[in-house]
Every structure is written in C-alpha cells, then in structure tokens.
Amino acid sequence: MLVDTRYLKSLISVVECGSIADAARAEGLTAAAVSQRIQALERQLGFDLLARSGHSAKPTEACLALLPRARPIVRQ
C-alpha cells in the first residue's frame, strides 16, 4: 500500500499543533484541505486517526502507533 507522504505530513502537523486549523496555517493550506487529507488516510488505512472535538483534534491510539513509522518516512 502506498501512502502519500504529504498526507502523513499533514497528520503529523495536526498532532503537533493540536487542531486542523492550526496545522493548516502551519502548512500554508486550508483547513478543508488538511481535513480531506486526514480523511483520505483514514479511508485508506481503515481506521480513525483523530478524535475530533470542537476545534481540537487528538490522535487515536491507532494514530499514536502509526506516528513512529510515519515521521521517518516524512523526513526522507
């Protein structure tokens, strides 16, 4: 399975920033674009990556398990 590294970068940004809106600003994207990237990843992987509540987004356990593998991929 191939995963778009830009989508992983957006996921990492959301986790680090704490919200989709803040991650979007950090990446120079719209919040809708970041949200669509995360949703595409969730569909591709088959599980939720973020627990969305109001203006915040917290990583799920599955996301926390994925991050140690995603970060080196994005760095390369």
Side-chain angles (χ1 to χ4, degrees):
M1 169 186 353
L2 293 176
V3 176
D4 191 322
T5 56
R6 295 171 301 170
Y7 292 13
L8 290 174
K9 183 177 182 229
S10 289
L11 174 64
I12 292 165
S13 186
V14 170
V15 171
E16 290 175 351
C17 292
S19 77
I20 291 172
D22 289 343
R25 279 189 285 279
E27 290 194 62
L29 299 169
T30 65
V34 172
S35 183
Q36 288 174 352
R37 286 179 172 189
I38 303 302
Q39 289 172 357
L41 271 176
E42 289 174 331
R43 280 191 305 274
Q44 188 175 7
L45 297 172
F47 50 82
D48 289 338
L49 295 166
L50 299 174
R52 298 157 179 89
S53 175
H55 294 290
S56 68
K58 305 249 187 272
T60 63
E61 291 297 320
C63 180
L64 292 173
L66 175 70
L67 288 175
R69 290 178 284 174
R71 285 188 170 109
I73 290 169
V74 170
R75 274 184 286 221
Q76 291 179 356

